[in-house]
Amino acid sequence: MMVIPCPFCGPRNETEYTYGGQAHVAYPENPDALTDEQWAQFLFYRDNPRGSYAERWQHSAGCRKWFNAVRNTHTYEITHVYRLDQARPDGLPKAPLATKEVGA
Amino acid sequence: MTQHQNHHGGRLERGGRLDRDQPIGFTIDGTALTGYAGDTLASALVANGRLRVGDSIYLRRPRGVLSAGVEEPNAFVRVNGEHNESMLPATTLELRDGLDVTLLDGIGVLDDRPDRNEYDKMHVHADVAVIGSGPAGLAAAKEAASGGARVVLFEQDFELGGSLLSDPTITVADQGALDYVASVRAELEAAPEVTVLTRTCVFGSYDNNFLVALEKRDDVASAEGGVSRQRLWHVTAGQVVLAVGAFERPIVFSDNDVPGVMLASAVKTYVERWAALPGRDVVLFTTNDSAYETARCLTKAGATVTVIDARPEVKAATSAQEGARRAGLTVRTASAVVGIEGSEGVTGAFVASIDDAGQLAGDAELIACDLVAVSGGWTPNVSLHSQRQGQLAWDDVLSGFVPSAGVKNQFVVGAGNGTYDTDDCLIEGARAGRGAAAAAGFPASSSADGGDAVAESAEVWRARQHRAAGTVRPLWAVPAPDGSLDTHFVDPHRDNTAADVLRATGAGMRSVEHVKRYTSISTGIDQGKIGGVNTIGLLTQLLSGNDTKAIPSGQPGQDAADAVELTASGQPARRPTPGTIGTTTFRAPFTPVAFTALAGRGRGALFDAARTSPAHSWHVEHGARFEDVGQWKRPWFYPQEGEDMDAAVARECRAAREGVAFMDATTLGKIEIRGADAPEFLNRMYTNPFLKLPVGKGRYGVMCTVSGMVFDDGVTLRLADDRFFMTTTTGGAAKVLDWLEEWSQTEWPELDVTLSSVTEQWSTVAVVGPRSREVIAKLAPDLDVSKEGFGFMEFRETTLASGIDARVCRITFSGELAYEINVPRWYGLKVWEDVAAAGEEFDITPYGTETMHVLRAEKAFPIVGQETDGTVTPHDLGMDWVVSKTKEFIGKRSFSRAAFTEPGRKQLVSVLPLDHTLRLPEGAQLVEPDALGDYTGEGLPTAPIAMVGFVTSSYHSQALGRSFALALVKDGPTRVGQTLLASFGGKFAEVEVREPVLYDKEGARRDG
Ligand SMILES: [Zn+2]
């Protein structure tokens, strides 16, 4: 059981939270301008690193707020939590999803 | 049982941690015996001269008590009672009055009678968790607690003290060992934030220092009824100190499983802790110094001891060998026990000299004895460390795997870290306790035990450990005079021998993980505590000559860098070390845990929360049968006297179509949406437009995922310009609220929207049927219920005749004229009863979910999760009309993907079995009529048969007088009029494809 520090409530058990996948994946400005491949890239493709990963969580059984966390996918250690309107605090780049090509 | 048992020792007159004023009677295999308070079952058996336990699991060889702890591979019992409990090690079973046990032959049987005991769960957040209460654990807990940290000390035994219980005569921190234990215990129990848990085994260690422990409470539970028998502790610890000790290894030699072969440390424990002498004429076979303590205590207890030491002569005057000789013992060096005389029990040991390579160097000599105590070296108990993928390294001097780097926020101390000297354990434990307390923010107040003065480097500390451990000469397998390995038991519980390991390597197994699976070594109840390292050691011999680089290492994190030793000539020796081979993976549980303890109180009615509507009691009184919808208990149908389900549903359907019926719709999810941007928000969430929905009206809407698949549906009312009331499917309420919240917070934080779940705030009654208007008119006299005055998809706020304020809507999920009365939940039962009373003159009929399903299916209203499965679009359901072509909404871009517009998508149709009485099973596959070929339904077809669709809903229609079904069929609308074959359970039936709506296609019944 991980203890996740909600930026609004403090540390709470993992069971109070809902996982929301990779953070900083912006909804495309103009979906109609995208090719089917680009749209599929947005829909279905996410990073899967071993190590630090910025991801979204919702404190669904608490304050119901969404926030971001940086978690080490190997050790499960959560090194940062931050509000949605804050930049990724560990200086790591945001996932450059839109520039990836399908099948690359 | 057999004659030789009379030779065994029995209870000593003095000593032991026993309450001799409190004799305890117990029964084993029908024989009444006596022990004392403080005994385990095993110590009481030893004291009664009974080392012999059940037979082995496969080979049916006689077995005896081998150990004195959780690693026991032989002495298993079933405890008989109202619910028998099997496979409990006698070595950890606390003796209690009236205990009735049966010896088992290595395997138990689950009792199929229910276990009526209570099992609880406990949750604790600790600053420091200390696991193990030997000298290192006690020192750690004492230091950690001194600064006020919340400390939990776990001890699996029923007494604190660990190894000190077997060393009562030594001095610890200037006191007697047991006085030290008592004084630390008193100190800990006096500290307000400290919890001391005995009989509590930490069996799992997980990420984030999450520990799971099982507390056994038979001592309290039997004395006071109503107390839970076991507790499962969920512990989140800031810092963890592992002080979990080490296991002594047996030695692998011929017939090493005969009753009377016992671990040397266990012999000492039985003598010192329980004053129980396992034998009077003892051959003590050792590879190291530690067993000389056993020799000393046996001699003191009056036994004769012959020491067989595998090591050559150590000339130093301080050597353990010299000390034993000075004490009058016979010590034979460079020798080994190579076989056992006796089968039901040891009557003698065959002893021979061994050379530097471990080969026999002379004939075997028989030494008469009734006990062979063995010490093959020590294995630090690294299970909890390794469960966290903590690294291990093989230490050749210590002859064991030792943690090489701590897991973050964990400390490993004492014998579990290869520290075998008691004073060193105190130093190491205290240092860890202080470190843990400081890291947890509660620096220790004391600086006792001088730990800080010993601030050695890791290398210096390792040298200290090596000095304390002395010299170890591991013997991975002692050759037998006849060369056989067939009774060299490596894993006694699994009945696996050195010959089995040899077979595994002969079959090409190289990885220790493969050898484990090939032989089943370490898969038994002790999970390799007895045989794990001996197997690895054996592999170093059997795999000599192989290229060690070809040996895959064991658990990740182990270092294979020491693979090749250089010989004097500079050539690689090609002999793998245990470190090269590595260990198998350690997994929870460390000791067995009953499922009933994991379940706790979450059984039966407490397995899940049950949600009921305010009118639930009425439904029960009126004979409703219920079905579970999510956590809700919903009335399924209301059978009357003599009715089966079909008859009841037919009657309910008839009432709704021809008269009036009512249904409890309270379970629908309800969400209030407020804010200046609420219309814009809904307009983006739903596929159809909501901006211009007027106040006082409702609209059916469909929500899709971003990938364009139907996600949920329901009717939303506009209560005010900035206020909406959304209904969701019964099962979808929570996920829809989460979904709305996600978009509101993460994508459109600029929109002024607030969301609240109001499912529990409202109670809803659906009044349905051509005569529903008359019932509503009686209930709500202030309401203009005329067709013109109260249109479809409108709602009115009104006060009912009862004085209760209600929101009445004209919504239908059956196609009939229908109303929904929403009232605050508090009035739910009252309003339901009022509807029943008002409708009585019209023979109003309650109906359940089954009738609801039939009615909506006749109208082809889909149910999300039944007609949809996450791959179905609104278009697939024939609901193009609900998808806006102009506005932007979630999922829109996906609808123009090629996969959505190409032919071959499964789309909603109805299918009518040609046999009007045949109700197709939901999920039945639909195939082309000529697709079967020669397949008759027997067995499997020779080639796959292409499926064109499947049945999603299937019922008998009272209105149509026949069976019917809804189905998703490839290009369904183009197949209307065609015949398909339904395939189910090896049978086939012809069905005709029809348009989805089968009843009242023109919608004439909606307005009554
Ligand atoms: Zn929160």
Side-chain angles (χ1 to χ4, degrees):
Chain A
M1 172 94 65
M2 292 195 293
V3 172
I4 300 172
C6 171
F8 308 97
C9 305
R12 297 289 190 276
N13 278 343
E14 176 189 347
T15 46
E16 294 188 11
Y17 296 86
T18 308
Y19 185 63
Q22 184 168 5
H24 308 298
V25 181
Y27 194 87
E29 284 284 325
N30 183 2
D32 288 328
L34 301 181
T35 64
D36 274 6
E37 282 77 7
Q38 287 169 326
W39 180 245
Q41 190 76 49
F42 163 72
L43 283 181
F44 304 121
Y45 287 71
R46 295 294 183 269
D47 293 337
N48 185 23
R50 185 186 200 268
S52 285
Y53 190 51
E55 59 195 16
R56 307 185 309 160
W57 287 87
Q58 188 198 9
H59 192 192
S60 40
C63 63
R64 301 197 59 79
K65 290 276 196 194
W66 282 86
F67 60 92
N68 292 333
V70 176
R71 180 177 60 97
N72 184 307
T73 57
H74 178 57
T75 64
Y76 285 71
E77 187 185 2
I78 291 177
T79 52
H80 303 82
V81 291
Y82 52 107
R83 297 194 315 266
L84 295 176
D85 58 356
Q86 292 175 315
R88 181 169 171 164
D90 58 358
L92 291 168
K94 293 179 181 180
L97 266 172
T99 62
K100 275 194 198 158
E101 286 176 24
V102 175
Chain B
M1 197 181 294
T2 57
Q3 273 188 333
H4 85 276
Q5 282 170 354
N6 300 329
H7 301 293
H8 282 296
R11 187 78 77 186
L12 299 169
E13 279 174 26
R14 279 184 303 280
R17 298 278 292 163
L18 299 168
D19 183 351
R20 299 200 188 225
D21 296 331
Q22 207 184 317
I24 291 185
F26 66 101
T27 308
I28 183 157
D29 286 345
T31 303
L33 296 173
T34 307
Y36 292 115
D39 263 325
T40 62
L41 175 61
S43 70
L45 289 176
V46 170
N48 280 281
R50 298 172 65 116
L51 300 191
R52 168 76 157 98
V53 292
D55 294 344
S56 75
I57 184 168
Y58 299 121
L59 302 173
R60 297 286 158 178
R61 289 172 64 91
R63 287 287 165 79
V65 176
L66 179 71
S67 75
V70 297
E71 69 272 38
E72 177 61 33
N74 294 333
F76 299 113
V77 297
R78 180 179 74 224
V79 174
N80 302 311
E82 286 179 17
H83 176 86
N84 294 341
E85 208 175 356
S86 273
M87 289 304 284
L88 299 179
T91 49
T92 61
L93 187 60
E94 198 174 343
L95 201 64
R96 59 174 191 273
D97 228 9
L99 189 68
D100 175 22
V101 305
T102 303
L103 288 167
L104 298 176
D105 296 331
I107 192 166
V109 176
L110 280 177
D111 192 342
D112 53 12
R113 293 174 296 175
D115 182 351
R116 301 195 190 284
N117 290 295
E118 286 178 0
Y119 295 85
D120 268 332
K121 290 185 184 159
M122 303 290 285
H123 299 262
V124 63
H125 287 253
D127 297 314
V128 181
V130 179
I131 306 170
S133 71
L138 287 176
K142 179 182 158 78
E143 290 296 312
S146 68
R150 180 178 297 170
V151 176
V152 184
L153 173 62
F154 296 91
E155 172 52 59
Q156 63 190 4
D157 201 292
F158 51 91
E159 285 213 66
L160 298 187
S163 64
L164 297 179
L165 296 171
S166 310
D167 280 320
T169 56
I170 66 170
T171 299
V172 177
D174 304 324
Q175 311 165 67
L178 300 179
D179 294 335
Y180 172 77
V181 175
S183 71
V184 176
R185 177 168 200 154
E187 197 176 319
L188 293 174
E189 286 180 344
E193 289 293 334
V194 176
T195 305
V196 177
L197 292 170
T198 54
R199 300 180 177 86
T200 308
C201 179
V202 177
F203 63 82
S205 180
Y206 303 91
D207 299 307
N208 201 67
N209 276 354
F210 182 67
L211 308 170
V212 187
L214 184 73
E215 180 187 12
K216 297 189 174 173
R217 313 209 304 154
D218 280 324
D219 57 318
V220 237
S222 58
E224 315 159 17
V227 174
S228 64
R229 183 169 173 250
Q230 296 183 351
R231 283 168 164 173
L232 193 72
W233 286 77
H234 292 212
V235 185
T236 300
Q239 303 287 316
V240 170
V241 180
L242 295 172
V244 288
F247 294 115
E248 192 170 30
R249 295 194 290 267
I251 304 176
V252 179
F253 57 86
S254 183
D255 291 330
N256 63 336
D257 66 330
V258 173
V261 177
M262 190 183 274
L263 291 170
S265 60
V267 171
K268 185 174 78 167
T269 298
Y270 285 119
V271 172
E272 295 283 21
R273 179 172 174 185
W274 288 300
L277 190 60
R280 295 199 180 279
D281 299 303
V282 184
V283 166
L284 191 149
F285 179 21
T286 185
T287 63
N288 63 87
D289 278 349
S290 69
Y292 283 83
E293 282 300 305
T294 302
R296 186 194 50 72
C297 86
L298 279 169
T299 309
K300 194 180 71 181
T304 64
V305 182
T306 305
V307 178
I308 308 300
D309 194 327
R311 300 170 298 177
E313 207 68 35
V314 179
K315 292 297 180 199
T318 54
S319 84
Q321 295 168 348
E322 283 308 310
R325 285 199 181 107
R326 272 199 300 278
L329 272 60
T330 305
V331 178
R332 202 174 144 167
T333 53
S335 299
V337 172
V338 299
I340 294 292
E341 187 192 61
S343 61
E344 281 287 324
V346 169
T347 57
F350 294 99
V351 174
S353 296
I354 52 172
D355 63 17
D356 288 349
Q359 298 305 310
L360 297 185
D363 291 337
E365 171 196 340
L366 179 64
I367 301 177
C369 61
D370 59 359
L371 183 75
V372 174
V374 295
S375 179
W378 291 83
T379 296
N381 173 7
V382 295
S383 178
L384 294 176
H385 170 76
S386 297
Q387 283 182 29
R388 292 290 307 279
Q389 279 152 38
Q391 297 200 354
L392 299 176
W394 176 258
D395 186 311
D396 228 18
V397 178
L398 298 175
S399 185
F401 286 99
V402 184
S404 55
V407 172
K408 192 171 182 191
N409 298 324
Q410 295 203 349
F411 299 80
V412 191
V413 297
N417 194 38
T419 302
Y420 296 129
D421 176 83
T422 300
D423 289 335
D424 289 351
C425 285
L426 294 177
I427 292 168
E428 197 174 44
R431 195 190 295 158
R434 272 193 297 279
F442 296 89
S445 63
S446 78
S447 60
D449 299 326
D452 284 335
V454 194
E456 295 101 340
S457 69
E459 291 74 27
V460 173
W461 186 256
R462 198 56 91 192
R464 211 173 150 120
Q465 290 177 320
H466 287 173
R467 270 198 305 281
T471 311
V472 186
R473 180 190 181 180
L475 294 177
W476 300 124
V478 179
D482 67 359
S484 162
L485 293 171
D486 289 344
T487 62
H488 285 58
F489 284 86
V490 175
D491 188 324
H493 182 226
R494 302 301 302 169
D495 259 349
N496 283 130
T497 64
D500 294 320
V501 180
L502 184 61
R503 252 191 299 281
T505 55
M509 304 298 133
R510 292 293 177 269
S511 158
V512 64
E513 297 281 14
H514 292 158
V515 171
K516 170 180 176 174
R517 272 100 188 146
Y518 195 83
T519 59
S520 87
I521 287 171
S522 299
T523 64
I525 201 164
D526 65 282
Q527 289 285 292
K529 295 178 183 70
I530 288 291
V533 172
N534 277 343
T535 304
I536 295 161
L538 202 50
L539 287 172
T540 64
Q541 296 187 349
L542 298 176
L543 297 178
S544 286
N546 280 300
D547 181 355
T548 54
K549 289 205 168 53
I551 301 171
S553 59
Q555 187 174 355
Q558 289 171 357
D559 182 15
D562 61 345
V564 179
E565 301 161 2
L566 291 185
T567 61
S569 66
Q571 292 300 310
R574 295 193 176 278
R575 179 186 180 109
T577 67
T580 322
I581 287 167
T583 67
T584 54
T585 307
F586 292 86
R587 295 190 180 89
F590 170 66
T591 50
V593 181
F595 279 115
T596 182
L598 298 175
R601 291 180 190 265
R603 301 161 61 174
L606 296 180
F607 180 70
D608 195 9
R611 302 172 79 183
T612 56
S613 91
H616 188 74
S617 58
W618 192 97
H619 305 321
V620 172
E621 282 164 24
H622 288 76
R625 297 272 309 279
F626 291 88
E627 76 167 335
D628 291 341
V629 181
Q631 291 177 323
W632 288 100
K633 301 284 177 199
R634 293 199 72 178
W636 190 14
F637 57 98
Y638 297 79
Q640 292 184 349
E641 190 75 30
E643 275 185 344
D644 61 8
M645 179 172 173
D646 286 350
V649 171
R651 175 179 48 73
E652 292 172 11
C653 285
R654 199 160 48 237
R657 292 264 185 247
E658 296 171 13
V660 61
F662 65 139
M663 184 189 72
D664 192 341
T666 301
T667 63
L668 283 183
K670 305 170 201 76
I671 300 167
E672 254 200 47
I673 299 146
R674 287 198 190 209
D677 296 315
E680 173 64 24
F681 178 72
L682 287 175
N683 205 48
R684 296 182 190 182
M685 297 304 300
Y686 278 123
T687 59
N688 49 336
F690 270 79
L691 273 181
K692 292 179 184 146
L693 179 67
V695 173
K697 286 208 160 205
R699 181 168 293 164
Y700 172 81
V702 169
M703 273 184 245
C704 284
T705 62
V706 191
S707 54
M709 304 306 172
V710 172
F711 173 74
D712 205 80
D713 69 346
V715 170
T716 290
L717 312 178
R718 187 167 199 171
L719 306 178
D721 280 344
D722 62 348
R723 194 172 157 214
F724 293 80
F725 179 88
M726 174 187 285
T727 59
T728 74
T729 57
T730 294
K735 75 174 184 189
V736 171
L737 180 61
D738 281 353
W739 181 241
L740 301 178
E741 201 80 82
E742 177 179 348
W743 287 88
S744 156
Q745 289 185 35
T746 69
E747 289 296 336
W748 308 317
E750 71 282 3
L751 294 186
D752 173 20
V753 176
T754 305
L755 306 157
S756 303
S757 167
V758 292
T759 302
E760 295 289 341
Q761 277 65 34
W762 292 93
S763 188
T764 307
V765 187
V767 183
V768 177
R771 306 201 69 174
S772 58
R773 182 173 279 129
E774 295 163 73
V775 178
I776 297 297
K778 282 177 71 182
L779 286 164
D782 296 346
L783 209 58
D784 174 2
V785 295
S786 68
K787 194 190 256 181
E788 302 72 29
F790 194 171
F792 182 63
M793 279 292 175
E794 292 180 353
F795 69 90
R796 301 281 185 270
E797 310 277 356
T798 187
T799 302
L800 302 178
S802 58
I804 296 167
D805 290 335
R807 183 183 296 145
V808 181
C809 322
R810 261 202 63 200
I811 296 172
T812 185
F813 196 43
S814 59
E816 299 298 325
L817 174 69
Y819 300 83
E820 284 183 8
I821 308 169
N822 292 279
V823 293
R825 184 187 165 94
W826 181 253
Y827 302 110
L829 176 59
K830 162 72 177 158
V831 170
W832 176 270
E833 289 171 340
D834 287 351
V835 172
E840 196 171 0
E841 62 175 291
F842 311 104
D843 198 20
I844 195 166
T845 300
Y847 71 95
T849 51
E850 188 66 18
T851 292
M852 176 190 82
H853 277 128
V854 176
L855 299 175
R856 65 89 202 172
E858 288 168 345
K859 291 288 293 176
F861 294 144
I863 287 189
V864 173
Q866 183 150 353
E867 271 65 44
T868 72
D869 60 4
T871 68
V872 177
T873 68
H875 310 86
D876 296 338
L877 296 173
M879 294 167 66
D880 305 53
W881 55 269
V882 88
V883 180
S884 166
K885 297 224 173 1
T886 51
K887 65 157 189 168
E888 189 58 46
F889 58 87
I890 293 171
K892 184 172 193 215
R893 170 63 184 83
S894 291
F895 293 138
S896 59
R897 291 182 67 203
F900 287 69
T901 52
E902 286 166 356
R905 292 195 67 80
K906 295 194 188 73
Q907 293 166 319
L908 189 71
V909 291
S910 61
V911 291
L912 297 178
L914 299 194
D915 174 357
H916 289 201
T917 65
L918 173 67
R919 219 173 306 171
L920 297 168
E922 288 170 359
Q925 306 280 292
L926 300 171
V927 301
E928 301 281 7
D930 57 357
L932 293 183
D934 57 1
Y935 180 55
T936 62
E938 287 286 317
L940 290 173
T942 49
I945 297 172
M947 174 261 259
V948 297
F950 58 91
V951 171
T952 59
S953 296
S954 175
Y955 310 98
H956 178 83
S957 167
Q958 164 65 23
L960 304 173
R962 58 160 301 147
S963 59
F964 74 107
L966 296 175
L968 288 166
V969 174
K970 278 182 186 168
D971 306 314
T974 69
R975 292 177 181 269
V976 169
Q978 292 181 11
T979 301
L980 294 174
L981 273 185
S983 164
F984 49 96
K987 292 188 220 148
F988 307 98
E990 286 185 297
V991 300
E992 186 193 349
V993 179
R994 300 282 289 270
E995 286 181 3
V997 182
L998 292 172
Y999 183 78
D1000 184 31
K1001 196 179 290 180
E1002 47 292 331
R1005 309 187 59 83
R1006 191 189 75 190
D1007 296 320

